[in-house]
Amino acid sequence: MTCNEIQNLTVSYLELDLDPNRVHQVTTHLEMCLACRNEMEAVRQVLVRLKGRVVPDPAEPFWREFPGRVRVRLLQARTDAKEPTSRAQHFFSPVSLPRWSWALAASVSLLLGAWLLIGGQFFGKSPGDMFTRGEGAPKIEATNNGHGPDLSDVAEVDWERAWDDDDQDMVLVDMAARLDPRILDRLFKDI
Amino acid sequence: MEESDNQLLDRYARGEESAFEELVRRHQRTIYDLAYRMLENHADAADLAQRTFVQAFLHVGSFRRESSFRTWLFQIGLNLCRNAIRDRARTTHENVEDLPLAASSDIFKATAEAEVRDRLGSAIRQLPERQREALVLRVYHNHAFAEIGSIMSCSEGTAKANYHHAVNKLRKVLVGGEGEV
């Protein structure tokens, strides 16, 4: 066998991972070759040093408490698996908002949309202009110090409770009824 | 007579909590040792060992018992180690090939013993992932190469080659490239 072949078998030889015939060949070569004997010894030193590396043993309380800690983390992992969404995700989830708030938002959007549309068609001005400077505009600013329609009546009602307790269609009618009647007249007279 | 892991798993499946505790106690030191060898500090090793058991029991239904429970734990633990090491690697970029080779005579100096230990630890840390895994499983856990292949999801021959490469690299780092001790 050549020295290169021997060096490829060094680890296996030291690990007793060769068949007997190979072991005999390597041993015979080593008896005659100083370089390969040195190489064999160098690898043996590495293995000895590797084996000598110990892991510091944590104190006994660590091992005593270990299963309990695993159990706690396992329960936590199972809980997390059942609740995949975080609180933040839940907060922003559409389904987490109450239905009455969606109805209110839709109603207000509808009214505002109609207001913008009608105001623009008839006066060619923005609603702000219409209510503050337009000649034919109703003088609603007087009801709210010039800051647009007064919605304080709408905001004061507990719509959430009303939505749950009352007929929901009637709640929507009630919401609309609490808007300033002059706004409603203006909005719907041409529809 | 001591119950086998599979018997304990059967008991655990029936809801016997004592079986859970026995399984963890039986393997906790081995898995901690593996984690420590791979991560080289107590806090990370303790955390990783716990996570290994959590993952194992969380997915125990998918354990088909084609290998031993211990081998399965090693597979899970090693996967978690790989992720942890990759996270670390994003901040460090040393390579075992970049380490200076030791002067051949240094190894015999008494004062150099600590240095050799440091160099060995450093060299092991910087081995390629698969070589390091094969080295740890072989040297510290006495696995046969076939079992190492099973744990690392590779053939027995690949496991053996990884181990041989690892030992040869460490040999070069520790005692120089000329074969002298």
Side-chain angles (χ1 to χ4, degrees):
Chain A
M1 293 183 86
T2 66
C3 291
N4 273 345
E5 287 173 318
I6 293 296
Q7 286 176 14
N8 287 335
L9 295 173
T10 303
V11 178
S12 299
Y13 180 81
L14 290 168
E15 293 261 335
L16 308 177
D17 192 31
L18 291 178
D19 64 69
N21 188 38
R22 279 280 192 205
V23 171
H24 178 70
Q25 288 176 315
V26 174
T27 306
T28 305
H29 182 97
L30 289 175
E31 285 170 359
M32 300 182 301
C33 180
L34 177 63
C36 286
R37 276 208 304 277
N38 285 340
E39 176 65 14
M40 189 69 72
E41 179 58 17
V43 175
R44 196 186 67 80
Q45 285 282 339
V46 169
L47 293 174
V48 167
R49 287 184 185 282
L50 280 171
K51 287 275 185 191
R53 286 171 58 82
V54 293
V55 168
D57 190 25
E60 192 51 37
F62 172 80
W63 298 120
R64 212 168 35 243
E65 293 164 10
F66 192 92
R69 291 184 181 183
V70 172
R71 189 190 306 279
V72 168
R73 292 181 74 163
L74 182 61
L75 289 173
Q76 182 62 50
R78 283 185 176 142
T79 307
D80 291 346
K82 284 178 189 166
E83 297 172 6
T85 53
S86 67
R87 286 185 179 189
Q89 286 172 313
H90 181 71
F91 181 79
F92 290 111
S93 167
V95 294
S96 69
L97 294 173
R99 282 179 298 169
W100 70 266
S101 62
W102 287 105
L104 178 61
S107 302
V108 171
S109 299
L110 186 66
L111 291 172
L112 286 174
W115 177 30
L116 289 168
L117 185 66
I118 295 166
Q121 274 182 345
F122 283 85
F123 300 103
K125 295 175 180 177
S126 71
D129 293 339
M130 186 171 70
F131 284 109
T132 56
R133 293 187 296 275
E135 291 173 8
K139 300 187 184 311
I140 292 174
E141 69 274 18
T143 63
N144 194 23
N145 298 325
H147 292 98
D150 186 356
L151 297 177
S152 58
D153 285 347
V154 179
E156 282 168 10
V157 177
D158 185 354
W159 293 111
E160 184 173 9
R161 199 173 62 188
W163 185 265
D164 291 332
D165 295 342
D166 302 335
D167 184 317
Q168 293 169 352
D169 290 334
M170 293 308 296
V171 173
L172 290 173
V173 170
D174 195 16
M175 283 180 186
R178 283 169 189 271
L179 290 170
D180 191 312
R182 285 171 297 177
I183 298 174
L184 290 173
D185 290 342
R186 180 74 194 137
L187 291 175
F188 296 111
K189 73 176 183 182
D190 294 312
I191 294 177
Chain B
M1 187 176 147
E2 191 179 61
E3 282 179 290
S4 71
D5 285 352
N6 283 344
Q7 287 172 319
L8 287 169
L9 285 168
D10 289 338
R11 281 179 48 204
Y12 176 71
R14 290 195 297 269
E16 292 184 40
E17 281 299 304
S18 61
F20 167 87
E21 182 135 347
E22 175 59 25
L23 279 165
V24 175
R25 286 205 186 286
R26 189 175 284 186
H27 298 289
Q28 61 187 13
R29 288 173 190 267
T30 308
I31 298 303
Y32 174 84
D33 187 275
L34 171 74
Y36 192 96
R37 300 276 183 198
M38 298 299 292
L39 304 176
E40 299 203 319
N41 75 73
H42 168 73
D44 288 348
D47 175 64
L48 196 134
Q50 287 171 18
R51 285 199 287 137
T52 299
F53 285 102
V54 168
Q55 290 301 311
F57 284 102
L58 211 52
H59 303 106
V60 73
S62 64
F63 174 51
R64 297 173 184 221
R65 305 194 187 187
E66 289 164 355
S67 64
S68 69
F69 183 63
R70 185 172 183 267
T71 297
W72 195 53
L73 286 175
F74 268 96
Q75 288 172 336
I76 295 169
L78 217 48
N79 272 330
L80 293 174
C81 284
R82 280 176 200 149
N83 293 338
I85 290 168
R86 282 169 195 170
D87 287 345
R88 275 187 193 173
R90 291 185 191 126
T91 54
T92 54
H93 300 284
E94 280 184 293
N95 189 301
V96 67
E97 307 289 355
D98 301 330
L99 288 176
L101 297 179
S104 330
S105 56
D106 284 353
I107 203 158
F108 287 124
K109 293 178 184 172
T111 53
E113 189 60 32
E115 187 204 336
V116 171
R117 268 202 308 275
D118 289 348
R119 289 175 63 79
L120 185 58
S122 190
I124 292 170
R125 261 196 304 280
Q126 289 160 49
L127 284 172
E129 188 176 274
R130 309 287 282 177
Q131 293 178 17
R132 186 175 180 190
E133 290 171 8
L135 185 86
V136 168
L137 292 171
R138 179 68 175 175
V139 174
Y140 302 111
H141 294 277
N142 299 314
H143 286 294
F145 286 114
E147 199 174 4
I148 295 172
S150 169
I151 293 169
M152 292 173 59
S153 304
C154 64
S155 69
E156 180 180 346
T158 304
K160 196 179 282 192
N162 275 311
Y163 173 69
H164 284 211
H165 284 307
V167 173
N168 284 326
K169 278 186 185 170
L170 295 179
R171 175 230 170 281
K172 284 179 186 168
V173 168
L174 286 183
V175 293
E178 297 305 315
E180 290 179 29
V181 181

